[in-house]
Amino acid sequence: MKARLDAIDWKILRELQADGRMTNVELASRVGISAPPCLRRVRALEEAGVIQGYRALIDEKTLGFDVTLFAFISLASQSEAEILAFEARVKNWPLVRESWMQSGEIDFILKCVAPDLKTCQNFVIEQLTATPNVGQVRTSLTLRQIKNEPVIV
């Protein structure tokens, strides 16, 4: 069921996405309500699953992860057991930062981040293509990111 949000809830979400580290007092001031009801609303949004958590956004390039690769995976079999087995493996690969199950010819798209091209190459050859039930792997090396807008509202 979709969450029912009023204008204040939407303001809270916008502000928290812009700065998730601000105090409740600052948040309340920005959205135009007092601190106690603001805290109750934030907690209600968390309990409803609208706010799933808080995290720092990190520039991977400053930490030496200079290569981003997208891998397009087609499985040989799409049985539920095979899909679940593949998903379990994906969750254990540190290079995979995002994974999306798709409809159509491609079963999964994986966003992989690595320090260098050799690490990507080793991952694709030694891990990805060697995985049971992987039928086809196509990869695409990124040149640069044009947009990164992780906010919703």
Side-chain angles (χ1 to χ4, degrees), residues 3 15 21 27 31 41 67 69 82 85 88 97 128 140 149:
E15 293 297 333
R21 294 188 64 181
L27 178 60
V31 300
R41 283 174 175 262
V67 179
L69 171 99
E82 294 288 358
R97 305 312 315 146
L128 202 48
S140 181
E149 193 72 30

Side-chain angles (χ1 to χ4, degrees), residues 60-61 66-70 111 140-148:
E60 61 260 353
K61 301 232 185 293
D66 293 326
V67 179
T68 301
L69 171 99
F70 285 91
K111 177 185 175 187
S140 181
L141 207 56
T142 65
L143 299 177
R144 70 174 173 236
Q145 186 177 55
I146 307 305
K147 183 176 181 176
N148 181 9

Side-chain angles (χ1 to χ4, degrees), residues 121-146:
Q121 181 181 11
N122 289 343
F123 170 70
V124 170
I125 294 168
E126 297 169 9
Q127 302 273 326
L128 202 48
T129 58
T131 298
N133 194 40
V134 169
Q136 183 180 29
V137 176
R138 290 186 302 131
T139 60
S140 181
L141 207 56
T142 65
L143 299 177
R144 70 174 173 236
Q145 186 177 55
I146 307 305

Side-chain angles (χ1 to χ4, degrees), residues 75 78-91 101 108 133:
L75 300 180
Q78 289 81 21
S79 72
E80 184 174 356
E82 294 288 358
I83 288 172
L84 292 174
F86 181 76
E87 288 175 353
R89 284 188 178 244
V90 167
K91 290 176 184 177
M101 186 176 181
F108 290 89
N133 194 40

